[in-house]
């Protein structure tokens, strides 16, 4: 089948990553925002995950880079973006730290406050989809509208199945916590099966 969705956490989605190409996923992460006595405020955040394994040739990464905007638009809206190059960069603890950082619930009393999560000496940053959409409308000189790169249209093998999988991730009534898509050829994405 075309659909690759799951109810597990980081380990479950990592097990489905295709190591030979870029994958995109949407994860639903629930966390406890605040607890006072027996009352707890649980909330849900959505994370757009891009898996770019280091083994992919640079030419392929550059070619696929022009499709990122169209792919992100398909997965909108989400609270943050996490780009990973090795599987050890995606763990449940990394997700918890990322959510704590963006919701400003991280306890910074005993550690120096940082503006991001650091892994392997590299700073991970995150952006809001709304900010990306606004920046995409402007040229670098900020005076004219953005023009799409010729040939930057990504194809989706079964757009309806992908949209249904995304709806399942967003639906709290389902156990689906993530969905994953990968390229099946040079410019066509499909849900991982």
């Amino acid at each position: 089948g075309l659909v690759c969705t799951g109810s597990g956490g980081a380990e479950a989605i990592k097990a489905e990553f295709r190591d030979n190409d870029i994958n995109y996923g949407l994860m639903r992460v629930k966390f406890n925002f605040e607890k006072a006595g027996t009352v707890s405020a649980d909330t849900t955040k959505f994370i757009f995950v891009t898996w770019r394994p280091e083994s992919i040739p640079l030419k392929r990464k550059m070619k696929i880079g022009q499709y990122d905007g169209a792919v992100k638009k398909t997965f909108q809206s989400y609270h943050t973006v996490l780009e990973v190059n090795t599987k050890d960069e995606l763990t449940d603890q990394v997700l918890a730290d990322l959510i704590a950082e963006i919701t400003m619930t991280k306890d910074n009393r005993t550690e120096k406050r940082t503006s991001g999560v650091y892994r392997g000496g590299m700073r991970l940053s995150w952006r809001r989809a709304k900010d990306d959409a606004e920046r995409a409308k402007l040229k670098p000189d900020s005076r004219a509208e953005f023009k799409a790169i010729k040939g930057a249209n990504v194809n989706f093998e079964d757009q309806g199945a992908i949209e249904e999988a995304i709806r399942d991730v967003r639906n709290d009534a389902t156990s689906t916590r993530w969905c994953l898509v990968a390229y099946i050829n040079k410019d066509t994405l499909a849900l991982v099966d």
Side-chain angles (χ1 to χ4, degrees):
L2 291 174
V3 177
C4 183
T5 59
S7 58
E11 293 303 317
I13 194 171
K14 285 192 309 191
E16 299 297 332
F17 283 164
R18 291 189 176 170
D19 293 326
N20 60 346
D21 213 345
I22 295 173
N23 295 216
Y24 304 97
L26 182 67
M27 295 187 76
R28 177 178 66 202
V29 180
K30 288 188 173 202
F31 73 102
N32 182 274
F33 188 73
E34 188 174 5
K35 186 170 184 173
T38 59
V39 178
S40 119
D42 295 330
T43 190
T44 301
K45 296 290 181 192
F46 296 98
I47 300 173
F48 178 74
V49 178
T50 303
W51 161 245
R52 293 181 200 273
E54 294 172 342
S55 61
I56 296 175
L58 180 60
K59 185 176 180 181
R60 176 69 174 151
K61 288 180 185 178
M62 291 171 57
K63 173 74 172 163
I64 290 178
Q66 67 183 342
Y67 302 140
D68 281 353
V71 173
K72 287 179 178 180
K73 186 175 181 180
T74 300
F75 282 88
Q76 288 186 126
S77 292
Y78 41 83
H79 297 97
T80 190
V81 174
L82 179 63
E83 295 186 10
V84 293
N85 302 104
T86 62
K87 289 184 180 181
D88 62 341
E89 293 177 339
L90 179 59
T91 64
D92 288 327
Q93 185 59 52
V94 166
L95 294 174
D97 291 347
L98 183 60
I99 295 296
E101 193 73 32
I102 66 171
T103 59
M104 296 189 285
T105 58
K106 184 175 179 182
D107 182 1
N108 291 310
R109 291 177 292 185
T110 59
E111 49 186 274
K112 183 179 176 185
R113 182 165 178 81
T114 61
S115 61
V117 176
Y118 289 81
R119 203 168 315 116
M122 302 278 297
R123 181 179 175 276
L124 298 178
S125 62
W126 39 84
R127 305 180 307 249
R128 295 182 315 160
K130 180 180 175 185
D131 294 338
D132 286 348
E134 289 301 314
R135 281 194 288 271
K137 292 178 185 174
L138 302 174
K139 284 187 176 178
D141 65 8
S142 298
R143 288 181 279 168
E145 290 212 8
F146 174 79
K147 302 279 187 202
I149 299 170
K150 184 176 181 179
N153 295 324
V154 66
N155 300 307
F156 297 93
E157 186 177 76
D158 187 346
Q159 181 85 28
I162 293 171
E163 290 170 355
E164 179 65 29
I166 292 168
R167 278 192 296 274
D168 279 349
V169 171
R170 295 184 184 288
N171 185 349
D172 285 336
T174 71
S175 64
T176 304
R177 290 185 52 202
W178 55 265
C179 66
L180 186 67
V181 299
Y183 288 93
I184 57 172
N185 60 37
K186 290 184 176 186
D187 63 357
T188 303
L189 282 168
L191 286 159
V192 176
D193 57 4

